[in-house]
Amino acid sequence: MDIVFAASECTPWAKTGGLADVVGALPRALAKLGHTVSVFLPYYRQVAKAVPDAAVVLPSITIPFPSYNRFVRILDGGLILGVQHYFVDCPELFDRESFYATPAGDYADNAERFGLFSRAVIEATKVLGVPDVFHVHDWQAAMIAVLLRSVYFFDPVFRRVPVVLSIHNAGYQGWFPPQTMETLLLPWDMFTYQKLEQNDTLNFLKGGIVYADALTTVSQKYAQEIQTGEFGNGLDSLLRQRSGDLFGILNGVDYDEWDPAVDPHISAHYTVDKLDGKSECRRDLLHAFGLEGVGEETAVIGVVSRFATQKGFDFIVAIMDRLVREDMVLVMLGNGEEYYERLLTEMAARYPGKVRVQVKYDNVIAHKIEAGSDMFLMPSRYEPCGLNQIYSLKYGTIPIVRATGGLDDTIDEQPFGGGNGFKFWGYDPKSLMDAIGRALGTFQNKDEWTRMMRRGMAQDFSWEKPAHEYVRVYERVIENRS
Ligand code: ADP
Ligand code: GLC
């Protein structure tokens, strides 16, 4: 089967979160199963820095706008582990400091940027090869489904080509003013509640949900949750209508990147049978955060996260005064919303011996936290899948999570340290504090703790199984369209 992926992030070039990990790893798993996969990604400034001399595959594609054209080049991102990567180059739109936003807010022309990206992918495949199925990710690529079923409707080469849309996060939908219909040359009769309109905005993700042949999301629990008013962000009734075509497929882990037995970023290697290296990683982590004096009996709690409301930082802040009285230290790595960057920096300044924060994006420190912490904290308000808790399991770092989305599907708390972690249901700081309390209590019993670590480390979340599930979805939509 020939599959084209389109997404706004992909490891190793462009990453703010788990989307990049998925778009990096799933195509490789599909290629291993014998499929032909190519991935399209915008040629952001950061990508251009990493691959400055990417060869030109297509020198000029015309993308029309109301009174002007833009011209896009398709560049060769290389064949990596069986997957062909292409970059969509349009310097006026992508040669910028960030992918989506500045600290002052989203780029004002994001609709044009990702509308152009979607059209460019469609046009490029007409030359490079029309796939059997498009697999598009989140609102930034959702327009591919809309365009193919509207302004490309009469193009004979796409008639039978279905689109699968993966929703990684329904909290981000791509809302734009009505006038954007004209900017993107979309017919006004699609600006209705049944199609692209929502609350008098053009909603990219909604369009994708209406027009894609099948929808997937990244855990079974989140597939149910987004069909409710609480998690659907206004799209729940539409998602209920499409529930027959909506599949929850839990993300996998790329163990070439995230395995303490081979991880090049950590100071010692270890496995489920030979755990010794973990204490060296712990020392190294404490050193990286300037916490050298911390003893064995003190629990090291790690956080790696985008700083966003979704991630439940207000719960952490709310329990901070209470938490610092416990025998623990908290090491946090993250960046994102300025409000949380400031708040957490203030917390670290208030409790310097107990709380440390590094405000940045740093892949090496992220790996060090996974390896060197005793516990990993993810009190998310909602979490479509969540990858860090699954990485933590492999690193023998016990997750403490809120029971939502993929966190609920992957973490199981049982009495007396059974299960693979700690989880809480409440939407309040006390429930979080209680869960941390249970973890700290269990941490005192080293045998019980080690058994729990080993149980998590032995679990297998590799991509092979989810890749098979995606293939079944592709087969179904291809069949339905033929
Ligand atoms: P989300 O996609 O919602 O951010 P996930 O748990 O799915 O959450 O994935 C987050 C990914 O991004 C993980 O690979 C994590 O290690 C990485 N990550 C998040 N913040 C940072 C950061 N500040 N520095 C390095 N890696 C980060
Ligand atoms: C999103 C979600 C996260 C998920 C990731 C990859 O960013 O917030 O939960 O793991 O996408 O699917």
Side-chain angles (χ1 to χ4, degrees), residues 5-8 19 22-23 26 135-142 164-168 470:
F5 271 57
S8 60
L19 170 66
V22 173
V23 176
L26 171 58
H135 188 169
V136 305
H137 298 263
D138 277 350
W139 73 263
Q140 292 91 343
V164 174
L165 167 67
S166 285
I167 303 169
H168 295 263
Y470 278 107

Side-chain angles (χ1 to χ4, degrees), residues 28 50 67 73 116 156 198 216 238 255 258 271 279 285 314 325 360 376 444 447 454:
R28 292 175 191 181
S67 55
R73 298 193 306 170
L116 168 134
Q198 195 195 25
T216 70
L238 174 62
Y255 287 122
W258 297 95
T271 63
S279 44
L285 171 67
D314 34 356
R325 295 208 294 271
K360 60 178 173 177
F376 194 93
Q444 300 305 316
D447 290 342
R454 290 216 154 96

Side-chain angles (χ1 to χ4, degrees), residues 17-22 138 167-169 172 218 251 306 310-311 378 382-388:
L19 170 66
D21 294 22
V22 173
D138 277 350
I167 303 169
H168 295 263
N169 195 331
Y172 302 84
V218 287
N251 285 333
R306 284 184 295 115
Q310 168 194 350
K311 301 294 180 178
M378 280 181 91
Y382 74 94
E383 195 62 72
C385 176
L387 290 169
N388 279 119

Side-chain angles (χ1 to χ4, degrees), residues 280-357:
E280 171 50 32
C281 293
R282 190 180 190 272
R283 259 193 303 279
D284 179 51
L285 171 67
L286 290 169
H287 175 72
F289 278 83
L291 287 167
E292 281 85 356
V294 170
E296 289 279 303
E297 64 302 333
T298 301
V300 178
I301 306 180
V303 172
V304 179
S305 183
R306 284 184 295 115
F307 285 165
T309 312
Q310 168 194 350
K311 301 294 180 178
F313 284 104
D314 34 356
F315 295 145
I316 299 182
V317 170
I319 62 164
M320 201 63 96
D321 295 339
R322 167 85 185 71
L323 184 62
V324 293
R325 295 208 294 271
E326 301 289 338
D327 192 3
M328 66 92 227
V329 292
L330 181 61
V331 296
M332 297 190 276
L333 169 70
N335 62 355
E337 290 171 26
E338 230 179 324
Y339 171 76
Y340 291 106
E341 291 187 353
R342 211 177 38 245
L343 201 60
L344 294 167
T345 307
E346 273 167 31
M347 288 295 147
R350 193 183 309 166
Y351 302 112
K354 285 285 200 173
V355 180
R356 290 290 161 104
V357 177

Side-chain angles (χ1 to χ4, degrees), residues 103-125:
D106 288 349
Y107 290 127
D109 56 355
N110 273 347
E112 185 173 354
R113 298 172 78 226
F114 293 103
L116 168 134
F117 172 67
S118 299
R119 269 190 197 255
V121 172
I122 293 174
E123 287 294 330
T125 62

Side-chain angles (χ1 to χ4, degrees), residues 132-288:
D132 298 310
V133 57
F134 283 97
H135 188 169
V136 305
H137 298 263
D138 277 350
W139 73 263
Q140 292 91 343
M143 264 301 150
I144 290 178
V146 176
L147 292 165
L148 286 180
R149 306 284 91 95
S150 58
V151 293
Y152 282 84
F153 185 85
F154 291 107
D155 190 330
V157 300
F158 292 123
R159 261 290 169 71
R160 297 223 149 106
V161 184
V163 183
V164 174
L165 167 67
S166 285
I167 303 169
H168 295 263
N169 195 331
Y172 302 84
Q173 299 180 5
W175 297 276
F176 299 100
Q179 209 53 35
T180 312
M181 293 296 290
E182 290 187 4
T183 312
L184 298 183
L185 300 174
L186 293 168
W188 274 111
D189 64 10
M190 291 173 78
F191 195 70
T192 64
Y193 187 70
Q194 281 66 39
K195 294 176 177 171
L196 304 181
E197 185 270 343
Q198 195 195 25
N199 300 327
D200 204 32
T201 63
L202 162 57
N203 182 324
F204 273 40
L205 187 67
K206 177 174 180 174
I209 294 171
V210 169
Y211 286 101
D213 295 76
L215 310 168
T216 70
T217 186
V218 287
S219 66
Q220 289 192 349
K221 182 74 185 275
Y222 192 60
Q224 294 160 8
E225 287 174 340
I226 51 175
Q227 297 181 54
T228 66
E230 188 185 348
F231 294 94
N233 287 75
L235 298 178
D236 43 294
S237 72
L238 174 62
L239 287 160
R240 283 196 299 278
Q241 279 168 36
R242 294 229 53 193
S243 63
D245 301 311
L246 171 61
F247 305 93
I249 302 177
L250 188 75
N251 285 333
V253 170
D254 182 353
Y255 287 122
D256 292 339
E257 293 289 324
W258 297 95
D259 178 352
V262 295
D263 190 332
H265 305 301
I266 60 179
S267 60
H269 291 146
Y270 57 97
T271 63
V272 64
D273 300 318
K274 201 165 178 312
L275 288 171
D276 325 0
K278 187 161 170 81
S279 44
E280 171 50 32
C281 293
R282 190 180 190 272
R283 259 193 303 279
D284 179 51
L285 171 67
L286 290 169
H287 175 72

Side-chain angles (χ1 to χ4, degrees), residues 1-7 9-13 18-41 78-86 135-137 166 168 251-252 254 463-464 466-468 470-471 474:
M1 198 182 299
D2 195 335
I3 308 149
V4 161
F5 271 57
E9 298 190 20
C10 177
T11 54
W13 304 290
L19 170 66
D21 294 22
V22 173
V23 176
L26 171 58
R28 292 175 191 181
L30 292 165
K32 255 195 204 157
L33 299 181
H35 301 287
T36 305
V37 195
S38 43
V39 178
F40 285 80
L41 176 74
L79 185 68
I80 302 172
L81 296 172
V83 180
Q84 175 63 48
H85 296 81
Y86 293 112
H135 188 169
V136 305
H137 298 263
S166 285
H168 295 263
N251 285 333
D254 182 353
W463 268 108
E464 194 183 332
H468 278 291
Y470 278 107
V471 170
Y474 303 151

